[in-house]
Amino acid sequence: MKKIKQTLMGAALAIIAIAFAVFTNMPAFATGSVTVSKNSLSLAIGGSDTFTISATNAAGRVDIVSADESVAMVSHDVVFLDSGITNEGEAPITVTAEGVGVTTITVTLTDVVTFDEEQLSPSTTYTINVVVGPEIHTDTVLEATDSNILLLNEGDFSDVESRVDAGEAAATISHLRSDESVADNDVVKTGDILRITIGGVNFDYVLAFLGDVNGDGLVNSGDYIKIKKHIMESETIAYQSKTWFAADINKNNTITSADYVKVRLYIMDGTGEWRP
Ligand SMILES: [Ca+2]
Ligand SMILES: [Ca+2]
């Protein structure tokens, strides 16, 4: 009899304890949450970007892992949201591009609890897709400019394609016209697009072909007329546009009669070579 009484008392205490627990869990801090600011990142080789892990009414351990560190590195392997890094409950994570390719970063919450110590969830994982773009090996044939424009000094699209370095990544290289239609030959026209697709992400570069000011893929009278109009100020060429790079034959960052003369000599010579 005594034993039964004790058991009943135990049960009653347990019920009171549960009721107390439920009751005390109810007020102000009812729910907590953790958010990750981005689910995808697109980086250039050598570049970096940042995402932020933020906690509202929650604290605990967060592990950050890059699936492929040869593609992308993370600034922190683990953060504790209660102490934070720059301020409480918020952790900025810097992702640095290490190599061309595609990878994922997983953000895993472990033992994250609300401020009243309710477990948020046993383990939650967020995935961030990362794509690191290709490298273009520029030289005297294919030059980089201050803009996102590549200047082809001679040759055709095969000379552009051969300078694309996508590392170990599976990449598709496309030659598009300015309206994004696929080019049906290798002739590069000023305004064409070099598109490198890696992991479903397009990396586009506008091409300028030296001397092709009007964008028809040829260097002829139509081009020196364009240069002349710019000099006469009847139709100006925008500074450092694709047309600008095509028209500045002597590359002195200005378009003058010297460029006009060079185009005339190029046409007269008919050798396909620029006179020095
Ligand atoms: Ca032309
Ligand atoms: Ca010039």
Side-chain angles (χ1 to χ4, degrees):
M1 190 62 188
K2 198 178 177 187
K3 202 172 184 180
I4 291 168
K5 202 174 175 183
Q6 274 182 343
T7 310
L8 282 172
M9 270 187 70
L13 280 173
I15 289 163
I16 290 165
I18 290 164
F20 184 75
V22 168
F23 190 75
T24 53
N25 270 347
M26 283 177 68
F29 302 129
T31 53
S33 64
V34 173
T35 52
V36 176
S37 66
K38 291 175 186 173
N39 57 21
S40 66
L41 290 171
S42 175
L43 303 170
I45 186 81
S48 64
D49 202 353
T50 302
F51 69 88
T52 306
I53 304 165
S54 309
T56 305
N57 179 32
R61 179 189 173 101
V62 182
D63 290 278
I64 306 108
V65 177
S66 169
D68 188 345
E69 292 192 335
S70 70
V71 175
M73 295 273 282
V74 289
S75 59
H76 297 77
D77 297 330
V78 59
V79 293
F80 294 92
L81 286 170
D82 46 351
S83 57
I85 293 174
T86 55
N87 51 52
E88 204 158 312
E90 190 172 293
I93 309 295
T94 301
V95 181
T96 311
E98 296 293 317
V100 183
V102 181
T103 190
T104 54
I105 293 168
T106 51
V107 174
T108 308
L109 314 183
T110 313
D111 296 332
V112 174
V113 294
T114 60
F115 291 164
D116 48 344
E117 300 196 335
E118 182 190 354
Q119 180 105 21
L120 200 63
S121 83
S123 177
T124 307
T125 302
Y126 299 86
T127 303
I128 300 156
N129 298 309
V130 180
V131 181
V132 178
E135 201 168 3
I136 313 287
H137 295 297
T138 52
D139 52 22
T140 55
V141 174
L142 189 68
E143 275 181 65
T145 68
D146 291 344
S147 314
N148 192 35
I149 296 169
L150 296 170
L151 176 64
L152 182 64
N153 287 292
E154 56 181 300
D156 59 26
F157 191 74
S158 65
D159 298 295
V160 176
E161 194 171 11
S162 64
R163 285 165 173 78
V164 174
D165 184 354
E168 302 294 309
T172 307
I173 301 170
S174 310
H175 176 199
L176 307 177
R177 298 302 181 197
S178 56
D179 63 359
E180 299 201 6
S181 63
V182 177
D184 56 2
N185 59 45
D186 267 0
V187 172
V188 171
K189 302 177 180 183
T190 293
D192 281 1
I193 298 159
L194 161 67
R195 174 167 291 173
I196 304 153
T197 309
I198 298 170
V201 177
N202 293 333
F203 295 88
D204 287 358
Y205 303 83
V206 174
L207 301 172
F209 181 51
L210 191 70
D212 178 26
V213 185
N214 63 0
D216 63 358
L218 304 167
V219 181
N220 60 24
S221 57
D223 302 305
Y224 75 63
I225 289 168
K226 284 272 187 191
I227 295 175
K228 191 173 182 182
K229 282 181 174 174
H230 175 81
I231 298 164
M232 305 292 283
E233 294 182 357
S234 65
E235 193 183 299
T236 54
I237 297 169
Y239 181 64
Q240 294 202 339
S241 61
K242 60 199 176 197
T243 315
W244 174 279
F245 292 113
D248 184 16
I249 311 296
N250 62 2
K251 297 174 190 171
N252 64 350
N253 205 28
T254 177
I255 298 167
T256 64
S257 57
D259 301 305
Y260 172 81
V261 169
K262 276 196 172 282
V263 174
R264 285 207 65 164
L265 291 172
Y266 181 96
I267 298 163
M268 279 169 56
D269 290 353
T271 59
E273 304 270 330
W274 294 100
R275 278 199 207 176

